[in-house]
């Protein structure tokens, strides 16, 4: 299939207000291929290198989903906002909503966290736990949870190890950590995967809809 490569040199759109400033200069190659369910930009498969503008085929990488509906995700143990270790296995026996978000105190992430907070009683009524995960440290999570009175657990995925193990795709050509939500049933099996970077509140609607059908 024919492909078209373009070089992205201009500044990214204002939607980057949701992300932290990248640590390295960014240069990308985009290959237009086909519609992808993993991307907010239909028709784009993102291939990137943080150091060179035209990487060889041996250095090109793309994200492939490692967690799928109907499977059990890789286990993890992470620190919560109080510095205590929390394992995914702790929640087995009841449904759990695990949502990955870019960063504390960014506009979209704050809106999403507060939406989960405002609907928390509905999640409790459905018998489900809510857990948020980002790359922030415990101190950041603690301040974020206190400021917005978040009644649920926030976990610290420093180094984005779990994000990589679960295969969560990034947005905006890989510069923005993906916003992806999973619903696991009481047996720890994934029943829903929902990805929507720029409409954070829709994650709450979709997860509640699924939980109420279990």
């Amino acid at each position: 299939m024919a492909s078209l490569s373009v070089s992205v040199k201009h500044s990214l759109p204002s939607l980057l207000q949701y992300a932290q400033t990248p640590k390295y200069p960014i240069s990308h190659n985009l290959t237009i291929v086909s519609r992808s369910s993993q991307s907010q930009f239909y028709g784009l498969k993102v291939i990137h290198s943080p150091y060179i503008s035209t990487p060889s085929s041996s250095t090109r990488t793309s994200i492939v989903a490692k967690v799928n509906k109907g499977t059990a995700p890789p286990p993890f143990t992470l620190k919560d906002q109080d510095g205590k270790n929390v394992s995914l296995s702790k929640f087995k026996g009841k449904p759990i909503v695990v949502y990955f978000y870019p960063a504390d105190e960014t506009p979209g992430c704050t809106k999403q966290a507060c939406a989960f907070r405002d609907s928390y009683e509905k999640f409790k009524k459905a018998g489900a736990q809510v857990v948020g995960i980002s790359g922030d440290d415990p101190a950041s999570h603690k301040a974020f949870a206190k400021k917005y009175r978040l009644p649920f657990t926030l976990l610290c995925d420093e180094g984005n190890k779990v994000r990589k193990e679960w295969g969560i795709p990034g947005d905006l050509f890989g510069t923005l950590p993906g916003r992806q939500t999973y619903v696991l049933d009481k047996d720890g099996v994934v029943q829903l995967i929902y990805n929507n970077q720029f409409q954070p509140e829709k994650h709450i609607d979709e997860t509640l809809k699924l939980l109420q059908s279990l």
Side-chain angles (χ1 to χ4, degrees):
M1 173 168 49
S3 63
L4 172 63
S5 293
V6 296
S7 178
V8 180
K9 297 180 179 178
H10 300 291
S11 60
L12 294 173
S14 59
L15 293 171
L16 273 176
Q17 64 179 315
Y18 296 98
Q20 295 173 313
T21 303
K23 296 180 180 179
Y24 307 102
I26 302 165
S27 180
H28 308 277
N29 279 352
L30 306 182
T31 304
I32 298 178
V33 286
S34 60
R35 289 182 180 268
S36 167
S37 62
Q38 299 299 327
S39 173
Q40 296 301 309
F41 304 92
Y42 286 138
L44 295 183
K45 177 181 179 182
V46 181
I47 304 171
H48 64 87
S49 168
Y51 303 109
I52 53 180
S53 60
T54 56
S56 65
S57 59
S58 63
T59 62
R60 294 183 180 183
T61 59
S62 59
I63 296 176
V64 179
K66 297 179 182 179
V67 174
N68 297 297
K69 183 178 177 180
T71 66
F76 62 70
T77 298
L78 299 171
K79 291 190 181 301
D80 67 9
Q81 61 260 54
D82 296 316
K84 298 177 181 178
N85 287 330
V86 176
S87 298
L88 179 61
S89 59
K90 168 189 174 182
F91 302 99
K92 201 166 184 179
K94 60 184 69 175
I96 178 174
V97 176
V98 181
Y99 81 94
F100 289 82
Y101 63 98
D104 294 338
E105 291 289 358
T106 54
C109 299
T110 299
K111 183 181 292 186
Q112 183 179 23
C114 290
F116 270 115
R117 176 200 66 197
D118 295 344
S119 295
Y120 191 64
E121 289 303 314
K122 294 179 182 179
F123 285 101
K124 286 178 63 177
K125 186 176 180 180
Q129 297 285 327
V130 176
V131 174
I133 301 178
S134 76
D136 299 288
D137 62 23
S140 175
H141 276 348
K142 192 173 184 69
F144 187 51
K146 181 178 180 181
K147 181 176 180 179
Y148 296 102
R149 304 184 309 280
L150 305 180
F152 48 85
T153 299
L154 297 178
L155 297 180
C156 309
D157 183 25
E158 296 184 74
N160 295 316
K161 180 182 177 182
V162 175
R163 181 181 287 273
K164 293 170 186 173
E165 289 177 346
W166 285 40
I168 298 171
D171 289 303
L172 289 178
F173 319 128
T175 64
L176 184 59
R179 187 186 306 281
Q180 189 146 297
T181 297
Y182 299 82
V183 176
L184 280 60
D185 63 20
K186 61 184 178 61
D187 298 315
V189 175
V190 176
Q191 297 298 326
L192 175 73
I193 301 174
Y194 184 72
N195 186 304
N196 191 328
Q197 180 67 257
F198 305 117
Q199 293 179 296
E201 291 165 302
K202 288 202 70 175
H203 288 250
I204 288 75
D205 298 334
E206 294 299 318
T207 52
L208 280 172
K209 189 187 305 181
L210 185 280
L211 284 167
Q212 290 163 357
S213 71
L214 290 179

